[in-house]
Amino acid sequence: MSEPEEHLSRTLDPRTLRGLAHPLRIQLLRVLRRSGPATASQLAERLGESSGATSYHLRQLAAHGFVEDDPTRGKGRERWWKATLQSTTFDESLYKNPDPEIRGAIAVYTHEIANIHTQELNTYLGTRHDWHESWLGASDMSDFTLRLPAEKLRELDERIHALIESYRDVAEKDAPDAERVRIHFHAFPQRED
């Protein structure tokens, strides 16, 4: 499946965060973004869930604008779903929200994203020898430790994000050897030992 021409994103607010902050909903949205439209039954089979559970959570995602019906697919009662956007961003003001429900939703959301990143990296490491050798040298698994104040870390984050975005529409994205590339970026403070 090719990526849509326009990269649509949504910044989570308290309402949409609560609507998305469930492990199965995050997984459903991830699969629809990555693999394209599917039915609740197809998603249930892929994720090892019941179609009743996937149907319910798809309706919840739709109520919050993350997915919608795909009217170009399906026959009769068969309902196909598609993602409405390609990414979500996190509004940092959510961290300051005193509502315990919001704080719980933040914990669910951030831990599930961390789990997904770990799964994706482990999948690559387990299959890296299936890739052409040019990919082995091009992939990266680095870590760095810096001493920075929070504002400098924010500046670094913004510059890295801008650099990554500048590669979204490169002419080579349709080259015969082009592949989907996942980039995980984590930056956080750490206590010294």
Side-chain angles (χ1 to χ4, degrees):
M1 182 186 111
S2 63
E3 295 265 335
E5 288 300 315
E6 186 180 0
H7 184 83
L8 300 174
S9 184
R10 166 183 270 170
T11 300
L12 297 175
D13 58 31
R15 180 185 170 278
T16 55
L17 173 64
R18 283 192 302 267
L20 182 58
H22 185 283
L24 182 53
R25 291 180 198 165
I26 294 169
Q27 290 292 338
L28 288 166
L29 184 57
R30 175 180 171 259
V31 170
L32 290 172
R33 284 178 177 166
R34 186 173 182 170
S35 302
T39 65
S41 296
Q42 291 168 335
L43 292 164
E45 185 175 330
R46 182 166 182 172
L47 297 172
E49 296 287 339
S50 72
S51 60
T54 57
S55 291
Y56 170 78
H57 288 292
L58 285 164
R59 289 191 304 273
Q60 294 303 308
L61 286 168
H64 290 88
F66 292 104
V67 301
E68 64 187 9
D69 283 318
D70 185 351
T72 65
R73 299 178 183 260
K75 298 174 185 153
R77 295 184 56 197
E78 189 175 57
R79 189 174 189 183
W80 285 71
W81 297 92
K82 65 180 180 178
T84 58
L85 359 123
Q86 287 73 52
S87 67
T88 45
T89 57
F90 200 83
D91 181 344
E92 72 179 69
S93 69
L94 291 171
Y95 289 118
K96 299 172 190 167
N97 193 310
D99 184 343
E101 186 178 338
I102 298 300
R103 289 181 182 213
I106 290 169
V108 169
Y109 176 79
T110 55
H111 282 93
E112 190 60 26
I113 297 303
N115 286 336
I116 289 169
H117 289 184
T118 301
Q119 289 170 351
E120 289 178 345
L121 181 57
N122 283 332
T123 298
Y124 169 70
L125 292 174
T127 62
R128 70 178 170 248
H129 296 294
D130 297 342
W131 292 94
H132 185 272
E133 64 185 34
S134 64
W135 286 103
L136 298 177
S139 62
D140 182 40
M141 203 169 75
S142 299
D143 62 88
F144 307 89
T145 302
L146 306 171
R147 279 190 73 77
L148 300 171
E151 282 309 309
K152 281 295 181 186
L153 178 56
R154 182 183 314 280
E155 177 186 314
L156 177 62
D157 289 349
E158 289 170 0
R159 290 176 68 186
I160 290 171
H161 285 236
L163 177 62
I164 292 168
E165 284 300 316
S166 74
Y167 279 81
R168 189 170 298 285
D169 292 317
V170 297
E172 297 85 358
K173 72 180 181 181
D174 294 323
D177 64 340
E179 298 285 352
R180 178 194 313 262
V181 173
R182 291 287 288 154
I183 299 168
H184 297 169
F185 175 65
H186 307 275
F188 50 89
Q190 184 180 48
R191 301 265 184 238
E192 293 186 35
D193 295 332

